[in-house]
Amino acid sequence: MEISVIGAGYVGLTTAACLAEIGHHVFCADNDTQKLDQLQNGQMPFYEPHLEGIVDRNREAKRLEFGPTEEGVDRGRALFICVGTPPLEKGEADLSAIERVARVIAHRGHGYRLVIEKSTVPVQTGRQLKRHLALFRTKELEYDVVSNPEFLREGAGVEDFFHPDRVVVGVETPRALEQMREIYRPVLERTFACPVHSECSRQDAARPVPFLVTDIASAELVKHASNSFLAMKISFINLVADLCEAAGADINRVAEGIGLDRRIGSSFLRPGIGFGGFCFPKDLQAFVRIAEKLGCDFSLLKEVERINLRRLDHFVEKVKKELWVLRGKEIGVWGLAFKPNTDDVRFAPALAIIRHLLAEGAEIQAYDPRAVDNARREIPEVTYCSDPYEAARGTEAVLLLTEWDEFRDVDWERLRALMERPLIIDGRNVLSRDVLATYGFQYVGIGHDAEVPENELAGARGDGSGKV
Ligand code: UGA
């Protein structure tokens, strides 16, 4: 099918490239001419595992083309709207980019267009979109509006496109439904050649992908409610982690025990420094705002947000408890991105923590496998390093703030020799206290730190001399 994806951001580019990979002819549109030039010349505007190869292959095969929004509207029969919906001051989603695209479709669209809302939007946006198209359309435009929320995780977006837990479509006509089914057919029937795993399609063939058909408003709500629920799970486990610290229990075991209940499930029960990124924090706020507008009190989610914000102070307090005075102290930071496998630092807890430590006079040397350039633009006063050892050199503590695999696989002996004091504060609970202790490190994690007795501290210094 001739498809245009409007918006070449994270969701748009991933969707466009993957739709091309399953055989559609896709025109990916954006108004940022610099970004379009980059994409046409084979440069990626962000890092996402597997995506570059898919973009290259499909661009070369001419199944994926790039250009301005107007051309996208002219060329595509199905138009996926994937533009940004950033937060306004009070948390409401800014829908002006969606409105601009709707205006272009109304003015230029001719014949039939399937208008698919994929950007994350508050419930009832579809209704507004329809109204807008009706108000401004040219005579010859016929259209259906569909809500097709995306559930792509950054860092695993390609995998999520090809192996979704579900495809949700909110439709109003049989024609729209049939076309949505046609667009996703290779994914639903698993007939694509998977660019991520060599064997998976065949293995998965017996397990059909749930294709949930709803009205437009319900599909819109599925998206906001899913993100809010996941955020709520994270804040819940973070509160339980605090309780574990107070009670001398171990959150890792508690989370395991809770997650074994199939009604709850084990995912999104990893405690730490809180959720970040461009989705959860903004979607939570937008969900609360739209609920309020419609007369529903969602203070539950305001508390989720408050708990999440408190994670940052809680972590900084941990650092202070260990280092006492921060002024003039050298601290190493591992991880800057809001999560591993991405270079995205928007609303990254790591950056918020660094800002806090800098404000208290600490000196920060930081390393991230992918996000250093983006972080440098945000916080230039940090010393950025090219590997985890450099970031740890001469420091009194290393703070692990993003759980990249690389940090699980460090040469601990080498690291210990570089550090002023062998202290690791693990904001993501991914390292083992026992393993680190064998290398002479003191380890502080989240939710499993009953007070460490003084004699254990001396042992952790490793040389028995009490000096580091
Ligand atoms: C999230 C959703 O998971 C996607 O389904 C959705 O499509 C996307 O938002 C979106 O709305 O576009 P994403 O923000 O990329 O995806 O990342 P997640 O993997 O959900 O992680 C979000 C944050 O929660 C990260 O900061 C992560 O470190 C944190 N997290 C996650 C935890 O602190 N604990 C956990 O157990 C899981």
Side-chain angles (χ1 to χ4, degrees):
M1 193 181 292
E2 291 291 323
I3 294 176
S4 290
V5 174
I6 301 171
Y10 174 76
V11 171
L13 185 57
T14 307
T15 303
C18 293
L19 285 169
E21 181 77 9
I22 59 173
H24 298 294
H25 185 212
V26 182
F27 188 88
C28 183
D30 204 289
N31 282 345
D32 180 341
T33 45
Q34 207 183 332
K35 190 189 270 183
L36 291 175
D37 286 347
Q38 249 184 317
L39 285 164
Q40 259 142 2
N41 295 325
Q43 284 168 280
M44 293 294 284
F46 53 83
Y47 169 70
E48 176 64 27
H50 307 291
L51 190 58
E52 190 168 359
I54 300 175
V55 170
D56 285 349
R57 189 165 48 250
N58 287 285
R59 191 190 49 243
E60 277 155 30
K62 303 251 179 294
R63 274 194 306 268
L64 180 61
E65 295 177 79
F66 299 98
T69 302
E70 290 71 15
E71 196 178 344
V73 171
D74 292 347
R75 289 177 53 168
R77 179 178 162 85
L79 308 174
F80 278 87
I81 304 181
C82 297
V83 293
T85 52
L88 291 168
E89 214 173 299
K90 286 190 176 153
E92 222 164 309
D94 179 354
L95 301 176
S96 49
I98 302 236
E99 200 210 27
R100 272 197 301 277
V101 173
R103 195 67 69 98
V104 179
I105 298 173
H107 284 165
R108 296 184 70 104
H110 50 88
Y112 176 76
R113 293 290 182 280
L114 182 67
V115 180
I116 307 157
E117 162 197 283
K118 201 170 204 31
S119 306
T120 300
V121 290
V123 61
Q124 295 189 334
T125 302
R127 190 196 279 180
Q128 291 291 355
L129 192 55
K130 261 175 58 188
R131 220 178 120 244
H132 205 83
L133 291 172
L135 278 175
F136 293 99
R137 73 174 146 178
T138 56
K139 279 198 195 80
E140 318 86 72
L141 177 64
E142 210 193 316
Y143 56 87
D144 285 306
V145 169
V146 177
S147 164
N148 172 222
E150 57 86 16
F151 304 104
L152 309 178
R153 291 163 301 166
E154 288 189 33
V158 171
E159 182 153 356
D160 287 344
F161 181 93
F162 286 101
H163 306 285
D165 286 347
R166 76 293 210 192
V167 172
V168 178
V169 294
V171 290
E172 289 181 330
T173 66
R175 171 173 64 178
L177 175 58
E178 192 36 51
Q179 291 185 81
M180 290 308 289
R181 212 188 283 280
E182 200 47 45
I183 290 172
Y184 281 104
R185 191 176 301 283
V187 172
L188 299 174
E189 296 178 359
R190 301 186 196 271
T191 51
F192 57 87
C194 181
V196 183
H197 323 88
S198 48
E199 284 296 311
C200 66
S201 299
R202 221 174 319 137
Q203 282 167 10
D204 286 353
R207 200 173 51 85
V209 176
F211 184 69
L212 180 70
V213 182
T214 69
D215 57 279
I216 293 178
S218 301
E220 291 169 334
L221 271 179
V222 168
K223 168 64 198 230
H224 256 165
S226 300
N227 273 8
S228 301
F229 190 84
L230 291 170
M232 188 172 72
K233 249 183 136 179
I234 299 170
S235 279
F236 179 82
I237 204 66
N238 279 331
L239 269 191
V240 180
D242 288 352
L243 187 57
C244 286
E245 277 177 22
D250 180 346
I251 187 63
N252 294 329
R253 306 313 306 235
V254 174
E256 195 181 340
I258 302 172
L260 282 169
D261 185 328
R262 271 180 296 173
R263 291 168 303 174
I264 298 173
S266 58
S267 56
F268 280 71
L269 288 182
R270 280 180 288 110
I273 53 178
F275 55 80
F278 203 59
C279 299
F280 283 1
K282 90 171 164 67
D283 289 356
L284 208 60
Q285 286 186 0
F287 195 43
V288 171
R289 294 290 296 152
I290 187 72
E292 270 170 2
K293 257 191 174 170
L294 296 171
C296 297
D297 176 6
F298 244 118
S299 2
L300 170 72
L301 293 180
K302 286 190 186 159
E303 196 48 42
V304 167
E305 198 186 354
R306 268 194 290 274
I307 295 165
N308 196 53
L309 275 176
R310 284 206 299 270
R311 299 314 292 162
L312 305 171
D313 293 337
H314 179 82
F315 188 79
V316 171
E317 281 312 312
K318 260 183 199 294
V319 177
K320 279 187 183 166
K321 194 167 153 207
E322 290 303 329
L323 298 187
W324 192 17
V325 176
L326 294 184
R327 185 154 302 280
K329 295 256 163 80
E330 301 269 1
I331 298 176
V333 165
W334 286 356
L336 298 160
F338 83 96
K339 62 185 277 192
N341 301 319
T342 176
D343 57 2
D344 194 345
V345 296
R346 291 175 297 174
F347 297 98
L351 297 201
I353 288 169
I354 289 174
R355 284 197 179 96
H356 206 129
L357 298 173
L358 286 170
E360 299 237 8
E363 294 184 12
I364 306 290
Q365 359 189 107
Y367 165 72
D368 185 287
R370 295 279 175 179
V372 162
D373 289 345
N374 287 340
R376 187 182 277 123
R377 276 191 282 275
E378 295 285 322
I379 316 185
E381 51 275 48
V382 165
T383 304
Y384 292 98
C385 304
S386 52
D387 65 51
Y389 303 99
E390 264 320 295
R393 187 184 294 279
T395 60
E396 295 196 24
V398 161
L399 319 182
L400 191 157
L401 301 184
T402 314
E403 68 276 31
W404 288 90
D405 278 347
E406 186 177 338
F407 302 142
R408 295 171 218 253
D409 214 17
V410 161
D411 177 344
W412 296 109
E413 225 163 86
R414 177 177 165 204
L415 190 83
R416 191 189 180 293
L418 290 171
M419 289 178 69
E420 178 71 15
R421 174 180 165 190
L423 166 63
I424 307 282
I425 308 185
D426 181 358
R428 301 288 188 171
N429 272 6
V430 287
L431 302 175
S432 152
R433 176 196 301 277
D434 293 345
V435 170
L436 285 175
T438 62
Y439 290 98
F441 282 93
Q442 183 196 342
Y443 173 85
V444 176
I446 304 277
H448 54 113
D449 289 319
E451 288 291 314
V452 184
E454 257 312 301
N455 57 355
E456 221 179 281
L457 264 179
R461 287 185 193 112
D463 57 6
S465 67
K467 296 203 181 98
V468 244

